[in-house]
Amino acid sequence: MNLKQYTPALRKPIKASLKPAQEVAIVLLGGLLVAAGLNLFLIPHKLLSGGVAGIASIIGYMTGWNISLVYFLVNLPLIAWGWRAVGRRYIVLSCISVVSTTWFMSLIPQVQLTKDPILAAVFGGIISAGGIGFSLRVGGSTGGLDILGSILTRKYDWPMGNILFLLNGVVILALGFFQSWDLALYSMLSTFVKGKVVDMIHIGHIKVTCFIITKQKEQMLCGLRKLHHGITCIHSEGGYREEENCTLMTVTTRYELAAVRKAVAEADPNAFMNVVQSAEIYGRFARPPKV
């Protein structure tokens, strides 16, 4: 087999399954959820969501300035920095998210839906995390510290939720010093819940190993080489019929698993694939290039 004909495919990232209009719609939905979590649960109780929204909230609580406007202004330098560090497509989606969140925050009234600050912290965290997770899922973010978290996740494969929890903890400590430690602890609960929900939605850092047993080695390699992860070929033999097979092993992410499954089904409908979650990987792991 001539490997040269597959060289361009090896460098080509997986095509997005969503159209740009659908991605923008999901980002807008994410902005709506973040704004709803802030205005309906967190801000009425003087709680923080962490990150830039938390910084904007602290400034708004102390000065009386419009929190949505402060949120927009603080995000501008972070977005400019992320343009070069992460990629244009990511930042464009993040800009749409920041603008939409600012707009929705100006439209949604700050209404105290529950008088219990614990319920407000939990449900505010869940709703805000839904908005963050959906934006991350389509390749964007809600701006602010999410940009820094995405850079660290891409570089070190750390869980996004854990990174946001640590970064946001610094902001919440400031609330304890300037306002109230009770509010800071409630906000820490909200941030913890938000981090767990984000990790449930944003699964790009979770690695899985796929073992594919097939008799159609050439067709299977042709399909898998269109993806950007490496493949290892192992000659194997069936335990009952003692027929020769080929076992292919590739490591990918949970987010990209659907593309692998589709390539396997198209190459050999009779193939057997076993998917196991990888606790840790060491060495080079290819990621899609910045766009």
Side-chain angles (χ1 to χ4, degrees):
M1 181 186 299
N2 186 7
L3 184 59
K4 291 183 179 180
Q5 60 181 316
Y6 296 107
T7 301
L10 287 169
R11 298 177 181 175
K12 184 178 181 181
I14 299 175
K15 291 183 178 180
S17 59
L18 297 176
K19 296 179 180 179
Q22 293 174 314
E23 293 177 344
V24 171
I26 292 175
V27 170
L28 292 176
L29 174 61
L32 174 62
L33 292 176
V34 172
L38 290 171
N39 282 13
L40 300 181
F41 292 96
L42 300 179
I43 293 179
H45 286 272
K46 303 296 183 181
L47 301 180
L48 298 184
S49 65
V52 169
I55 296 173
S57 297
I58 291 179
I59 296 175
Y61 298 155
M62 297 180 63
T63 63
W65 295 349
N66 185 286
I67 294 178
S68 61
L69 179 60
V70 176
Y71 171 80
F72 177 77
L73 294 177
V74 175
N75 265 294
L76 290 180
L78 293 171
I79 289 175
W81 174 57
W83 180 273
R84 297 182 59 185
V86 184
R88 289 172 294 179
R89 177 180 175 276
Y90 174 88
I91 294 302
V92 168
L93 291 176
S94 299
C95 286
I96 296 174
S97 177
V98 170
V99 172
S100 63
T101 301
T102 303
W103 184 58
F104 285 127
M105 287 180 66
S106 65
L107 294 180
I108 299 175
Q110 295 181 11
V111 179
Q112 195 176 89
L113 293 185
T114 176
K115 296 181 180 180
D116 189 338
I118 295 179
L119 290 178
V122 171
F123 283 94
I126 292 175
I127 295 174
S128 298
I132 295 173
F134 289 140
S135 296
L136 292 171
R137 193 70 181 265
V138 297
S141 77
T142 54
L145 296 184
D146 294 354
I147 296 176
L148 179 58
S150 295
I151 295 173
L152 295 176
T153 295
R154 294 185 181 204
K155 187 174 182 179
Y156 299 107
D157 291 326
W158 294 341
M160 174 65 81
N162 292 349
I163 295 174
L164 294 180
F165 180 74
L166 293 175
L167 294 176
N168 294 334
V170 178
V171 179
I172 292 174
L173 287 176
L175 178 65
F177 283 108
F178 292 108
Q179 293 287 328
S180 166
W181 284 108
D182 286 341
L183 295 179
L185 293 175
Y186 287 137
S187 299
M188 187 67 73
L189 172 62
S190 177
T191 303
F192 177 79
V193 172
K194 182 173 69 173
K196 294 301 180 182
V197 176
V198 167
D199 278 343
M200 291 174 59
I201 301 174
H202 179 57
I203 55 178
H205 66 279
I206 300 177
K207 306 297 183 299
V208 294
T209 301
C210 302
F211 296 94
I212 306 161
I213 301 176
T214 179
K215 296 182 183 297
Q216 309 296 329
K217 174 184 175 182
E218 305 301 328
Q219 293 87 332
M220 190 66 67
L221 285 173
C222 183
L224 293 177
R225 280 173 175 153
K226 295 178 182 178
L227 313 180
H228 58 272
H229 294 302
I231 311 163
T232 299
C233 302
I234 306 170
H235 296 286
S236 56
E237 182 180 283
Y240 287 95
R241 298 183 180 180
E242 298 183 351
E243 297 178 349
E244 289 189 0
N245 297 310
C246 181
T247 301
L248 307 178
M249 184 189 76
T250 182
V251 179
T252 184
T253 66
R254 282 275 302 276
Y255 181 72
E256 300 164 304
L257 184 57
V260 177
R261 191 182 298 115
K262 180 180 178 181
V264 170
E266 290 178 349
D268 182 7
N270 297 319
F272 175 83
M273 182 170 74
N274 181 30
V275 180
V276 296
Q277 184 165 326
S278 303
E280 182 180 356
I281 60 172
Y282 177 79
R284 187 179 62 179
F285 181 78
R287 288 188 170 272
K290 295 187 295 182
V291 292

